[in-house]
Amino acid sequence: MNSSTSWEYFKQDQNKILWVHIFTRDITGIAISLNKWWKTKYPEYKMRVVSKKEFEQIKTQKRQVH
């Protein structure tokens, strides 16, 4: 992941969900870019914006399953 971005994502293939954590206060600015990226790259996925804590829990759960 590029460190200059203001968000990070985790793709969950089985449920077709993109879990996204946004770590900037400029939500309006990032929302436009994020929405365009999501609709272009993963249009069949649902996107869920979550807190850092929830984002880390989801990634940890996925690692434990595999």
Side-chain angles (χ1 to χ4, degrees):
M1 163 143 227
N2 187 344
S3 61
S4 67
T5 61
S6 299
W7 51 277
E8 59 185 341
Y9 75 97
F10 179 74
K11 189 171 76 164
Q12 196 172 32
D13 292 317
Q14 71 219 25
N15 300 331
K16 294 216 180 256
I17 297 176
L18 286 174
W19 298 97
V20 178
H21 169 245
I22 299 173
F23 48 92
T24 184
R25 294 191 184 269
D26 180 19
I27 301 297
T28 304
I30 197 67
I32 295 167
S33 298
L34 180 59
N35 194 46
K36 183 178 180 181
W37 169 84
W38 164 51
K39 293 290 186 180
T40 303
K41 190 156 180 153
Y42 298 106
E44 69 280 2
Y45 282 69
K46 295 177 185 176
M47 181 172 56
R48 301 288 183 252
V49 178
V50 296
S51 67
K52 179 67 172 178
K53 182 178 178 182
E54 189 173 357
F55 185 80
E56 293 302 326
Q57 287 174 341
I58 291 162
K59 286 185 0 182
T60 301
Q61 287 172 0
K62 179 71 174 179
R63 287 187 199 117
Q64 289 173 353
V65 170
H66 291 294

